[in-house]
Amino acid sequence: MKSTKLVFALLLFAAALTAKAAPLLNGLALEQQFNKDQYFAAVYAERLSNDSASLLDNNMPRALEIRVVADHLSARRLRNQWMEGIAINNPADTLSGQAENMVTFANLFSGRLQAGDILRIEFAANSGATSVSLNGVELDTIQNREFFNTLLRAWIGPVPPSTEFRDNLMKSGQVKGGLLATFEALKPSAARIAQVRATYSETEEVAAAPAKPEPKNESKPEPARVVAVAKPDLSADIPAPSLAAIGSAAIEKPTPARPEPKAETPAVAQTQPKPLKPTTTRPATPPMDEEDEEDEAPLTADMILARQIYHSMLLRHTFKNLNYPKRAMERGQEGSVRLNVTIDSKGNVLNVTTLQESRFSSLNREALDAVERAAPYPTTPSQLKMNEYKFTIPITFRLPD
């Protein structure tokens, strides 16, 4: 009888440990663009915290989740926004080391996401693997212990989409009931889940299909030709910047000389990224509907690195031209602004749109004026082969404490 009770107690203890290990909702942030709700971002952690360093602990299970609010959400635009955040919130050696994994991750995004879709990224502390799923259908698993934090820093690093976005993700579980209810009500329909499952199954079948044998050619084969493949020289068009030198986009105090923004992260040695081995990835997930965006060159590890370094340079160039409006400073006005900028290959500004405004018109005007003063921007690196380049600028105006 005693042995039975002991076994029962051990089972209860094991169940309690298992329940404890399940990540809990740490915080929710609502992403808005052009004053329209786009998606909820959520951070889950085994131990709730309001500190970014604690949430980056690789010894505990964690998860990131996106639940789509908009009727349609461009998967490619979501991916590019995430890539930009990764570029400005991770040190150069991390970007170089994770470039191949970023190709795998980026190639999972295609077509349009729909309202109710749930994109979930889970980190298993025991194995160090990061799994990606859409509506419960597993898309891929990346076997690298540092990869999850590379993604998470884009949301809670020194330059997040906005300070409000980051602060809402670090609520230690203190999420408002109404917001939580709206979030939990967002779920895909059974038909949508079936569509995603069928679409991805087709992709895997194509990937698994054996290649057709080449027809025999009895004629004398031509001599083998050597084709030189030039690796992009990232220093040819742009100096390899220290990504940490960007620091925060926050403009803390105005100065006539417009100094470089203070770095909030440790300095990173300005070394050239190591040459990367060719990588073979799973095929991109097919579009989830017929509507797709313009064609884009296939992503490679070298291209991702070039884009990330170039994007970091564009942000630094903008931040040098930012001032804190005097009247806003006198009135204690603070806020975040996010801009979309399109430039041509020579760095001329073609278009600027405001994704997110602050409550104060003077801060919004200063953000736009900074882009005008920054033009022309550094020219587009030749390896990107783009006539136009689009990038996002997150700006936070914050007064010193």
Side-chain angles (χ1 to χ4, degrees), residues 220-292:
K220 188 176 179 181
E222 294 182 6
R225 292 179 293 172
V226 177
V227 180
V229 180
K231 282 193 175 291
D233 180 4
L234 300 183
S235 63
D237 296 285
I238 53 175
S242 167
L243 298 182
I246 298 168
S248 171
I251 306 303
E252 295 190 346
K253 50 184 178 181
T255 60
R258 296 179 192 162
E260 290 279 355
K262 264 188 167 182
E264 293 187 3
T265 52
V268 177
Q270 298 185 14
T271 54
Q272 191 73 14
K274 297 178 182 177
L276 297 166
K277 297 177 182 178
T279 180
T280 303
T281 65
R282 295 172 70 171
T285 307
M288 295 303 172
D289 55 28
E290 296 300 321
E291 187 181 10
D292 203 1

Side-chain angles (χ1 to χ4, degrees), residues 91-250:
D93 56 346
T94 297
L95 297 179
S96 178
Q98 295 296 336
E100 292 183 15
N101 292 327
M102 291 307 307
V103 173
T104 302
F105 180 72
N107 281 336
L108 300 177
F109 292 75
S110 181
R112 296 283 194 273
L113 299 173
Q114 299 180 14
D117 278 350
I118 300 176
L119 178 69
R120 189 171 174 89
I121 300 163
E122 296 187 81
F123 174 76
N126 55 348
S127 66
T130 297
S131 60
V132 184
S133 64
L134 177 62
N135 296 339
V137 179
E138 185 174 339
L139 304 184
D140 210 338
T141 298
I142 295 172
Q143 300 288 344
N144 184 287
R145 181 166 285 277
E146 299 303 320
F147 180 68
F148 184 87
N149 278 352
T150 305
L151 300 178
L152 177 55
R153 287 190 192 98
W155 287 2
I156 65 170
V159 192
S162 70
T163 53
E164 183 182 12
F165 186 93
R166 177 178 56 195
D167 292 346
N168 285 336
L169 291 176
M170 298 194 294
K171 287 290 189 180
S172 300
Q174 302 299 313
V175 179
K176 293 181 180 178
L179 194 68
L180 181 60
T182 303
F183 171 75
E184 292 181 338
L186 290 167
K187 294 179 181 177
S189 65
R192 175 61 174 164
I193 294 172
Q195 181 191 17
V196 172
R197 183 175 289 114
T199 302
Y200 198 71
S201 296
E202 288 173 7
T203 305
E204 290 186 321
E205 287 172 9
V206 170
K212 293 182 179 179
E214 292 288 336
K216 289 185 179 180
N217 189 351
E218 301 298 333
S219 60
K220 188 176 179 181
E222 294 182 6
R225 292 179 293 172
V226 177
V227 180
V229 180
K231 282 193 175 291
D233 180 4
L234 300 183
S235 63
D237 296 285
I238 53 175
S242 167
L243 298 182
I246 298 168
S248 171

Side-chain angles (χ1 to χ4, degrees), residues 358-378:
S358 74
R359 296 186 297 118
F360 305 107
S361 58
S362 61
L363 302 183
N364 300 329
R365 281 196 306 270
E366 172 56 28
L368 293 169
D369 289 346
V371 172
E372 184 177 338
R373 289 193 294 267
Y377 281 85

